[in-house]
């Protein structure tokens, strides 16, 4: 019921508007939070999470601007319920591997992995790694993606493919990079 999303995005995540603080030259050698009081994606994120549970969802979402052009790295924290606490680290890993086993653009990495944004550059792939630090009651999920593909254009094409009964992967396995 209480979730924390600590998310970092490259400057292209701010869109194409020319805003001084979002220019790559201004973001270089800097790292900062923004939208702490409220972010435009917070309501839709909570709404989608709410579809998965009858309990009220409380999400603390803090986005950060990081000095790279494209890419997102999210560190997600959640307290495990009694069922989750009964699982050991491998059991928790198995839950994620099973949940995403048929998703062509989701890679649940091996236990102990640390995904990096470079590994998803210019792809529609989302990589995640599941951790349970010190065997405690918190699960930490590390997620990386290319915000211009999986976070935007690629996701739109993937949804269109599904809507029109095309192969989900159609047009999404070619690498095209700009910027």
């Amino acid at each position: 019921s209480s979730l924390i999303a600590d998310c970092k995005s490259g400057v292209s995540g701010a869109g194409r508007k020319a805003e001084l603080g979002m220019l790559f030259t201004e973001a270089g050698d800097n790292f900062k939070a923004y939208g702490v009081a409220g972010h435009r994606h917070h309501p839709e994120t909570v709404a989608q999470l709410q579809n998965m549970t009858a309990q009220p969802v409380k999400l603390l979402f803090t986005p950060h601007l990081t000095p790279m052009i494209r890419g997102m790295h999210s560190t997600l924290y959640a307290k495990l319920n009694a069922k989750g606490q009964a699982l050991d680290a491998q059991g928790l890993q198995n839950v994620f591997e099973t949940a995403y086993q048929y998703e062509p653009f989701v890679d649940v990495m091996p236990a102990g992995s640390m995904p990096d944004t470079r590994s998803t550059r210019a792809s529609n792939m989302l990589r995640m790694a599941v951790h349970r630090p010190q065997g405690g009651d918190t699960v930490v999920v590390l997620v990386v993606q290319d915000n211009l593909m999986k976070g935007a254009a690629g996701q739109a094409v993937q949804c269109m493919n599904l809507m029109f009964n095309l192969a989900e992967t159609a047009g999404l396995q070619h690498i095209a990079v700009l910027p």
Side-chain angles (χ1 to χ4, degrees), residues 2 6 15 21 67 77 83 87 100 150 162 164:
S2 183
D6 179 21
Y77 303 87
K83 187 176 177 181
L87 298 171
Y100 294 103
K150 185 65 174 174
L162 293 170
F164 290 102

Side-chain angles (χ1 to χ4, degrees), residues 24 54 69 77 99:
F24 186 68
I69 295 172
Y77 303 87

Side-chain angles (χ1 to χ4, degrees), residues 7-163:
C7 305
K8 297 90 179 165
S9 175
V11 296
S12 62
R16 294 181 59 103
K17 62 184 176 285
E19 205 172 294
L20 186 62
M22 301 297 182
L23 298 175
F24 186 68
T25 54
E26 294 295 320
D29 290 330
N30 196 19
F31 181 79
K32 68 178 183 178
Y34 65 95
V36 177
H39 188 275
R40 67 177 187 233
H41 293 309
H42 185 268
E44 68 194 69
T45 303
V46 171
Q48 291 304 312
L49 290 169
Q50 194 63 65
N51 287 335
M52 298 178 203
T53 182
Q55 296 178 2
V57 172
K58 296 176 189 167
L59 173 66
L60 178 60
F61 173 47
T62 306
H64 296 80
L65 182 65
T66 189
M68 60 184 182
I69 295 172
R70 61 195 300 155
M72 291 180 71
H73 187 296
S74 300
T75 305
L76 312 171
Y77 303 87
K79 293 285 185 191
L80 293 167
N81 60 20
K83 187 176 177 181
Q85 288 184 32
L87 298 171
D88 62 6
Q90 186 57 52
L92 196 55
Q93 177 78 20
N94 291 344
V95 167
F96 278 77
E97 288 177 0
T98 300
Y100 294 103
Q101 67 183 334
Y102 300 113
E103 296 298 329
F105 297 112
V106 177
D107 175 24
V108 178
M109 299 176 71
S113 295
M114 302 288 178
D116 59 60
T117 57
R118 187 176 302 167
S119 71
T120 60
R121 182 172 167 81
S123 78
N124 197 52
M125 185 61 65
L126 179 143
R127 281 210 166 84
M128 69 172 67
V130 182
H131 296 266
R132 188 172 179 184
Q134 298 85 42
D137 65 351
T138 301
V139 62
V140 176
V141 182
L142 305 174
V143 181
V144 296
Q145 64 184 345
D146 183 319
N147 60 301
L148 296 179
M149 280 296 295
K150 185 65 174 174
Q155 187 66 35
V157 171
Q158 186 178 351
C159 289
M160 180 194 70
N161 288 344
L162 293 170
M163 287 173 53

